Amino acid sequence: MTYTADIHKTPRHFLPAGFSITDWDHLEPFFNALVERPLNTPADLEQWLRDMSEVEAVVSEDASWRQIRMTCDTENKALEEAFVYFCMEIQPRLQPYADKLNRKFIESPLTGGLDEKTYFTYLRNVRKSIDLFREANIPIQAELSVLQQQYGVIAGKMTVVVDGQEYTLQQAAKFLEKPDRALREQVYRAINDRRLQDLNPLNDLYSQLIAKRQQIAENTGYENYRDYRFAELGRFDYTKEDCFQFHEAVKQHVLPLVRQVYERQQKRLGLDALRPWDTEAVPQGEEPLHPFKNGAELLQKSERCLDALNPFFGDCLRKMSSLGHLDLDSRKGKAPGGYNCPLAESGAPFIFMNAAGQMHDVTTMVHEGGHAIHSFLAHPLALSAFKEYPMEIAEVASMSMELFTMEHWDVFFDDAEELRRAKILQLERVITIFPWIATIDKFQHWIYENPRHTPEERKDAWLSILREFTVDVVDITGLEHYRSHSWQRQLHLFEVPFYYIEYGIAQLGAIGMWKQFRENPAHALDNYIQALSLGGMRTLPELYASAGLQFDFSPKHIQTLIEFIQKELVKLYL
């Protein structure tokens, strides 16, 4: 089958072609029409679903653009106000209508005649939404939508001065790769001192978020927000106990390998003690990797890299570039992090990141590129709901692309030794990210199992969990004041609670995809495209199976995959 990135905005049949969302009064009549429309035949139901999907896509894309524009310029008050307006004036009025439409769909006798395989996951999600809907939660959810974005506003203002020049924290991180150890320590301390300036505002913000999330859970009949959130995220295929098992498997099978990675780094640098500002550094006489100079070069090289895998992949980036759907370079006033934002109506998503010329920016670019390819592949599906896939498969799309593209990183590195170093860094990162994923996830379980904790208790719990997943090769003497609130650098805690274990589950899937790729590249890429093209129309185990993967994060499976990565690393070390 041939795939094309030359997708176009979905034609409108229900909403006027020029309609845009300005206020609720102009939007509400379309929802009323859907609620009141009689459904007498299967054809009526199918047309009603298509029209509802069209409205959902327009609303979703409008909200997405408001968020994109605000994160690109957190200092622009008008953009923030536009986002807040949607959260406070539009979204709360949408939710009761969404519930009415869900109930109309489920209660229609015609729904029973729909193809079970096609609509199974859609109907399961609709029933879940009905179960969780409470009028009392609408204003709280609106407040949360606004509050959560304050993290980006606060973090977007964080800068440090190095050698007389101001840098964002993302830009300053490149100095941690330098061979000059004194400079690395200076920058490490400067970054962490700057974070400490906002320790209390971020602590207060998180406390507010926790309280409001707990209230939502209690309003819905749940003892805690963790249990509510598992239901809201549609975690039908695994439980909190599976997450606890993952944490233990990381300690048992991954931490020993993390220890080896850091011991190797200590030996490379010739140090008596490895400090946190040494973990990313290169030895004296060696320069950090410089895969690109700016966002434009990063894009051009990424396109070539993806082309070598499959021209369709490169075409996706070119299409986004032609539409202005990329914002790649780091700058002051820009929110931290990176994301790919699907755009439900126009189809071509938006990639946001903070590139600063480092190796990990290449990883971020191809990671978000994998998400973008997923968006392109799912866009042709008939209904908006079909395109809403679980995060556990979404992150397989992105993390697999990090590993697939290594075969063609010669576009970033002419020198064979630099290419080898880049691949080692990537595979070591695959290993060393697991303890952080387990730490963040276990911390969230504690946070929401104990929602009325004090900031001091939060700090103690964080440090206790952090120690569980930290190897003693890295000397942290005298740095407890930095470590005690280091959770604050993880935006997911503030903006998308409990969205983090997905990275661990998906990393296992990505390793499995790469194992396939090493054995048969064409077959692996076919499996990859096939799974992503299904959107959210299958259960998680079925989506994994369509990619040739097991949906399994038991200790035994984790051990098998980690041993594979270890063998690949040993080949590169030699």
Side-chain angles (χ1 to χ4, degrees):
M1 184 174 176
T2 302
Y3 297 90
T4 177
D6 189 25
I7 57 177
H8 301 281
K9 195 170 186 177
T10 305
R12 293 183 182 178
H13 300 286
F14 179 54
L15 293 171
F19 177 80
S20 61
I21 297 174
T22 53
D23 56 42
W24 176 244
D25 289 344
H26 287 87
L27 183 59
E28 184 178 26
F30 300 106
F31 281 93
N32 269 325
L34 288 168
V35 168
E36 294 168 5
R37 187 188 301 180
L39 303 177
N40 299 317
T41 68
D44 288 344
L45 177 61
E46 288 173 10
Q47 187 59 52
W48 181 81
L49 285 170
R50 286 193 292 270
D51 291 346
M52 182 166 63
S53 174
E54 182 181 310
V55 176
E56 288 170 350
V58 170
V59 170
S60 169
E61 181 150 336
D62 180 89
S64 295
W65 274 117
R66 291 172 193 254
Q67 184 167 8
I68 289 166
R69 290 178 181 126
M70 184 180 69
T71 55
C72 289
D73 184 0
T74 62
E75 296 178 347
N76 187 317
K77 286 296 174 189
L79 298 178
E80 182 181 353
E81 287 165 8
F83 175 79
V84 171
Y85 179 82
F86 184 92
C87 293
M88 302 304 291
E89 302 298 331
I90 305 287
Q91 187 66 32
R93 291 173 168 84
L94 285 175
Q95 288 170 282
Y97 277 99
D99 184 62
K100 289 177 186 176
L101 292 170
N102 283 337
R103 292 176 189 277
K104 183 181 178 78
F105 182 33
I106 292 298
E107 292 166 5
S108 171
L110 297 168
T111 299
L114 294 171
D115 180 73
E116 186 176 352
K117 190 168 187 179
T118 301
Y119 285 91
F120 174 76
T121 55
Y122 182 13
L123 287 166
R124 184 173 67 170
N125 283 327
V126 168
R127 291 188 181 100
K128 175 257 295 181
S129 296
I130 291 171
D131 289 343
L132 294 181
F133 178 77
R134 299 290 186 280
E135 288 269 2
N137 282 338
I138 292 174
I140 306 173
Q141 288 163 336
E143 291 169 20
L144 276 172
S145 296
V146 175
L147 261 183
Q148 286 164 180
Q149 296 305 313
Q150 289 308 300
Y151 177 79
V153 173
I154 294 169
K157 294 175 182 174
M158 293 183 184
T159 62
V160 294
V161 175
V162 182
D163 292 338
Q165 185 170 340
E166 186 179 33
Y167 296 92
T168 66
L169 302 195
Q170 290 80 12
Q171 291 168 334
K174 66 186 176 185
F175 293 104
L176 299 176
E177 299 176 2
K178 297 284 187 181
D180 182 340
R181 197 181 193 202
L183 174 64
R184 293 198 306 267
E185 180 177 357
Q186 173 200 330
V187 172
Y188 174 86
R189 291 183 181 278
I191 288 172
N192 283 281
D193 285 338
R194 177 60 189 87
R195 289 190 185 281
L196 287 179
Q197 290 179 31
D198 284 309
L199 185 155
N200 290 330
L202 287 176
N203 242 344
D204 292 345
L205 174 61
Y206 199 43
S207 294
Q208 291 179 65
L209 292 170
I210 292 165
K212 290 182 185 300
R213 289 166 181 164
Q214 177 63 19
Q215 188 60 58
I216 282 175
E218 291 176 4
N219 289 350
T220 319
Y222 286 86
E223 183 179 340
N224 61 62
Y225 182 75
R226 189 265 318 279
D227 295 346
Y228 168 86
R229 184 66 167 156
F230 266 55
E232 185 184 34
L233 289 170
R235 289 183 175 171
F236 301 105
D237 302 299
Y238 62 98
T239 65
K240 63 181 186 293
E241 287 76 22
D242 291 315
C243 296
F244 302 154
Q245 182 177 250
F246 173 85
H247 305 159
E248 292 306 310
V250 168
K251 282 194 272 193
Q252 185 179 351
H253 298 298
V254 183
L255 279 184
L257 197 48
V258 172
R259 169 182 288 279
Q260 291 176 28
V261 167
Y262 288 137
E263 285 175 344
R264 176 180 178 271
Q265 175 69 348
Q266 182 177 347
K267 187 176 178 181
R268 283 180 73 231
L269 297 179
L271 299 173
D272 293 332
L274 188 74
R275 301 284 272 164
W277 48 83
D278 300 322
T279 58
E280 306 290 326
V282 298
Q284 288 290 344
E286 198 174 280
E287 277 300 309
L289 296 170
H290 296 294
F292 63 95
K293 294 184 182 67
N294 52 43
E297 186 180 339
L298 172 62
L299 173 61
Q300 181 257 329
K301 289 183 173 180
S302 298
E303 288 171 357
R304 285 169 53 201
C305 187
L306 293 179
D307 281 338
L309 282 173
N310 185 321
F312 161 68
F313 296 164
D315 286 344
C316 291
L317 287 188
R318 280 184 284 274
K319 179 69 173 180
M320 295 165 72
S321 179
S322 72
L323 295 171
H325 287 195
L326 301 167
D327 188 337
L328 306 182
D329 288 301
S330 180
R331 61 179 178 274
K332 185 181 178 182
K334 187 175 177 181
Y339 61 75
N340 172 82
C341 183
L343 294 168
E345 186 181 24
S346 53
F350 189 101
I351 288 180
F352 168 102
M353 62 179 287
N354 279 277
Q358 296 171 269
M359 180 58 225
H360 73 77
D361 295 322
V362 172
T363 305
T364 300
M365 184 70 205
V366 295
H367 177 104
E368 302 304 342
H371 281 311
I373 290 161
H374 201 174
S375 297
F376 276 92
L377 287 169
H379 185 66
L381 296 173
L383 300 178
S384 295
F386 293 166
K387 305 171 193 181
E388 294 174 3
Y389 33 77
M391 290 301 102
E392 296 85 351
I393 192 68
E395 296 302 340
V396 171
S398 56
M399 291 175 150
S400 297
M401 194 55 69
E402 295 178 27
L403 297 170
F404 290 161
T405 54
M406 287 199 302
E407 292 295 313
H408 304 288
W409 281 2
D410 54 343
V411 303
F412 292 101
F413 306 102
D414 296 329
D415 180 77
E417 176 57 21
E418 287 193 347
L419 179 59
R420 185 181 77 91
R421 283 171 54 199
K423 290 181 177 180
I424 288 172
L425 281 172
Q426 175 61 23
L427 293 187
E428 287 181 342
R429 181 182 171 277
V430 167
I431 294 163
T432 57
I433 192 66
F434 275 110
W436 183 252
I437 292 168
T439 302
I440 292 294
D441 189 60
K442 188 167 184 175
F443 180 57
Q444 293 198 85
H445 283 276
W446 183 89
I447 287 290
Y448 293 105
E449 285 174 353
N450 302 278
R452 291 170 179 85
H453 63 266
T454 65
E456 190 65 23
E457 289 169 333
R458 183 188 306 163
K459 181 185 79 170
D460 291 343
W462 168 252
L463 283 171
S464 173
I465 294 166
L466 188 60
R467 289 186 197 108
E468 283 186 57
F469 297 97
T470 301
V471 292
D472 58 9
V473 178
V474 182
D475 180 2
I476 56 170
T477 305
L479 303 174
E480 290 291 295
H481 61 302
Y482 293 149
R483 286 168 57 79
S484 63
H485 294 87
S486 53
W487 58 268
Q488 291 188 347
R489 72 176 193 254
Q490 194 61 62
L491 66 84
H492 298 69
L493 295 171
F494 295 86
E495 296 182 4
V496 276
F498 279 101
Y499 180 8
Y500 216 68
I501 189 73
E502 289 89 341
Y503 292 113
I505 297 168
Q507 188 70 276
L508 299 172
I511 295 169
M513 287 302 315
W514 190 50
K515 192 169 184 291
Q516 288 182 43
F517 186 85
R518 298 288 283 165
E519 295 161 3
N520 187 330
H523 182 63
L525 291 176
D526 284 346
N527 281 347
Y528 177 83
I529 290 171
Q530 175 179 285
L532 271 49
S533 300
L534 291 169
M537 294 180 69
R538 297 290 184 272
T539 65
L540 257 181
E542 288 170 337
L543 290 171
Y544 269 60
S546 69
L549 301 170
Q550 296 173 255
F551 185 70
D552 178 5
F553 45 109
S554 65
K556 184 173 178 56
H557 189 57
I558 290 176
Q559 181 181 10
T560 300
L561 294 171
I562 292 298
E563 286 174 352
F564 165 70
I565 288 290
Q566 186 174 19
K567 286 174 185 174
E568 292 296 320
L569 256 177
V570 168
K571 292 177 193 174
L572 290 167
Y573 285 158
L574 295 175

